[in-house]
């Protein structure tokens, strides 16, 4: 049964995912029941106008507790994170925000007996020793980025808090997210969003990954669906806390070719930088059969329909 009376706290509401997840949650659970928080980046107007908005530093445990107490929060989405490429520039800060932020949330969640916590892991939890094709849910996790290290540690913490404290935390290893509302910041998969903006505005794009680099991706409407489906999944069917997940795998060359069908003048060149090594350490395709079997994961978009939708939305706006 869906619990339609949730009181949800979203930490990291201004980010690429948070800025679209908050409106999706408010649509489902009601504007007043979804508390959007942020710290550095201003929140989008749509979020400010549709429900409560609060300043929150995820490193400040007492402030998290205060919001939980005042708003009678029972559900937390912890989305604040420093991504892979930025994490390589400021690894100690990435450790601090990603892991100390997470353990704060877990500690407060267990002491306030929070009903459910959703926290995304990432394909960055995998590394060069992981099989790269059809990567299984249970496999080698030896990432080479600080971001990946924080995700592996976070996954272990999730299992630990579930087993030791019975905290119902759930996680998915998100692939690259393609979205039209807020640009991603500092990730290795960001090219797959930037390419649309540049194709529409300037008809050309210089890609920081090689043409044949294949990575798993997910379109934002499917990402929102995933977050809500995971939140509402029946706990008795879940055999683990962390799930592989994927939408569409494609190479930089394949997405460029798909965009060219809509914008024939579009030109792309490839100038790989330090992010190529990160991409080369991640899977190309993901086996997400556990998510499909245990909570019915089933994405809707393929490369063609995602590209069409992105171009429709961005052409109107830009
Ligand atoms: N999109 C993320 C990144 O590129 C992967 O989780 O860092």
């Amino acid at each position: 049964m869906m619990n339609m009376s949730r009181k949800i706290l979203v930490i990291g509401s201004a980010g690429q995912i948070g800025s679209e997840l908050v409106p999706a949650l408010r649509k489902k659970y009601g504007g007043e029941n979804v508390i959007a928080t942020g710290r550095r980046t201003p929140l989008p107007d749509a979020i400010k106008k549709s429900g409560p908005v609060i300043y929150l530093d995820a490193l400040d445990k007492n402030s998290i507790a205060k919001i939980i107490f005042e708003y009678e929060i029972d559900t937390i989405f912890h989305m604040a994170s420093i991504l892979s490429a930025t994490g390589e520039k400021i690894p100690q800060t990435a450790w601090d925000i990603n892991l100390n932020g997470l353990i704060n949330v877990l500690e407060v969640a267990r002491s306030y007996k929070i009903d459910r916590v959703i926290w995304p892991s990432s394909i960055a939890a995998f590394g060069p020793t992981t099989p790269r094709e059809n990567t299984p849910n249970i496999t080698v996790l030896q990432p080479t980025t600080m971001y990946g290290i924080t995700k592996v540690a976070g996954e272990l913490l999730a299992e630990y808090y579930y087993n030791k404290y019975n905290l119902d935390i759930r996680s998915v290893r998100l692939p690259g997210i393609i979205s039209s509302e807020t640009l991603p910041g500092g990730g290795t998969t960001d090219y797959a969003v930037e390419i649309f903006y540049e194709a529409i505005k300037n008809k050309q794009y210089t890609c920081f990954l090689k043409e044949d680099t294949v990575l798993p991706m997910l379109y934002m409407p499917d990402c929102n669906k995933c977050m809500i489906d995971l939140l509402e999944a029946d706990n008795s069917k879940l055999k683990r806390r962390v799930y592989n997940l994927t939408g569409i795998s494609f190479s930089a060359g394949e997405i460029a070719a798909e965009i060219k069908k809509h914008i024939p003048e579009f030109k792309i060149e490839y100038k790989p930088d330090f992010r190529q090594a990160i991409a080369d350490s991640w899977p190309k395709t993901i086996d997400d059969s556990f998510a499909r079997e245990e909570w019915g994961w089933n994405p809707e978009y393929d490369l063609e329909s995602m590209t069409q939708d992105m171009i429709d939305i961005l052409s109107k706006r830009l």
Side-chain angles (χ1 to χ4, degrees):
M1 267 290 282
M2 284 223 180
N3 176 0
M4 295 305 291
S5 62
R6 290 187 181 281
K7 274 277 188 187
I8 304 174
L9 165 62
V10 181
I11 302 173
S13 304
Q16 185 196 14
I17 299 178
S19 62
E20 295 200 46
L21 176 65
V22 167
L25 292 172
R26 284 187 173 157
K27 196 165 159 218
K28 190 164 189 82
Y29 301 97
E32 287 305 307
N33 296 325
V34 180
I35 319 306
T37 67
R39 183 178 61 96
R40 210 162 44 91
T41 321
L43 293 171
D45 280 345
I47 291 188
K48 286 197 236 163
K49 287 185 192 135
S50 58
V53 163
I54 301 175
Y55 172 90
L56 176 64
D57 179 351
L59 295 178
D60 177 5
K61 208 167 24 174
N62 287 339
S63 298
I64 305 175
K66 188 164 177 274
I67 297 173
I68 291 174
F69 182 78
E70 285 176 5
Y71 287 85
E72 299 179 340
I73 298 293
D74 53 40
T75 305
I76 301 176
F77 279 86
H78 180 43
M79 313 303 288
S81 178
I82 291 198
L83 297 183
S84 58
T86 304
E88 289 314 287
K89 293 182 183 149
I90 43 168
Q92 292 79 7
T93 311
W95 173 275
D96 199 28
I97 295 200
N98 296 3
L99 269 181
N100 291 335
L102 175 63
I103 202 156
N104 278 346
V105 170
L106 295 175
E107 272 302 292
V108 180
R110 89 175 164 94
S111 57
Y112 281 86
K113 306 222 174 329
I114 292 295
D115 177 60
R116 219 154 274 183
V117 178
I118 306 288
W119 165 79
S121 181
S122 161
I123 51 165
F126 303 118
T129 50
T130 310
R132 294 187 69 203
E133 304 275 0
N134 214 20
T135 305
N137 214 106
I138 300 168
T139 185
V140 186
L141 299 174
Q142 293 183 315
T144 46
T145 62
M146 180 55 89
Y147 178 62
I149 292 169
T150 66
K151 290 301 185 188
V152 173
E155 290 186 6
L156 295 171
L157 278 177
E159 296 282 355
Y160 185 82
Y161 272 74
Y162 180 69
N163 292 322
K164 193 169 178 86
Y165 301 115
N166 210 16
L167 176 68
D168 186 353
I169 171 163
R170 304 170 177 198
S171 182
V172 278
R173 292 179 181 135
L174 287 179
I177 304 295
I178 298 169
S179 66
S180 56
E181 208 50 48
T182 303
L183 281 164
T188 301
T189 55
D190 294 12
Y191 94 85
V193 182
E194 289 168 11
I195 194 171
F196 284 101
Y197 283 77
E198 295 306 313
I200 291 166
K201 283 196 292 196
N202 304 320
K203 317 277 177 250
Q204 60 176 49
Y205 179 59
T206 304
C207 184
F208 57 75
L209 298 181
K210 287 194 284 193
E211 183 173 7
D212 62 355
T213 310
V214 177
L215 286 168
M217 304 276 180
L218 183 67
Y219 190 36
M220 186 56 90
D222 278 330
C223 180
N224 281 339
K225 178 173 137 67
C226 152
M227 291 293 149
I228 292 172
D229 288 355
L230 182 64
L231 172 64
E232 294 299 346
D234 177 352
N235 201 38
S236 67
K237 302 225 166 75
L238 306 183
K239 298 195 185 116
R240 65 211 81 240
R241 293 293 111 191
V242 182
Y243 288 87
N244 271 9
L245 191 108
T246 189
I248 331 155
S249 277
F250 52 77
S251 67
E254 281 165 339
I255 190 171
E258 193 59 37
I259 291 173
K260 251 186 214 210
K261 290 186 193 161
H262 300 264
I263 307 170
E265 327 82 280
F266 176 55
K267 294 218 164 16
I268 182 161
E269 53 174 346
Y270 300 91
K271 288 199 180 144
D273 65 15
F274 74 101
R275 289 168 280 193
Q276 185 65 49
I278 300 179
D280 289 342
S281 76
W282 290 352
K284 297 176 186 219
T285 53
I286 301 281
D287 174 4
D288 62 1
S289 49
F290 286 163
R292 290 172 183 268
E293 284 157 22
E294 292 172 30
W295 48 277
W297 168 240
N298 187 18
E300 279 170 20
Y301 285 85
D302 58 15
L303 179 58
E304 209 172 290
S305 53
M306 178 274 291
T307 304
Q308 174 82 58
D309 206 48
M310 281 292 283
I311 290 180
D312 286 352
I313 293 171
L314 290 178
S315 311
K316 278 189 209 124
R317 175 144 29 94
L318 296 176

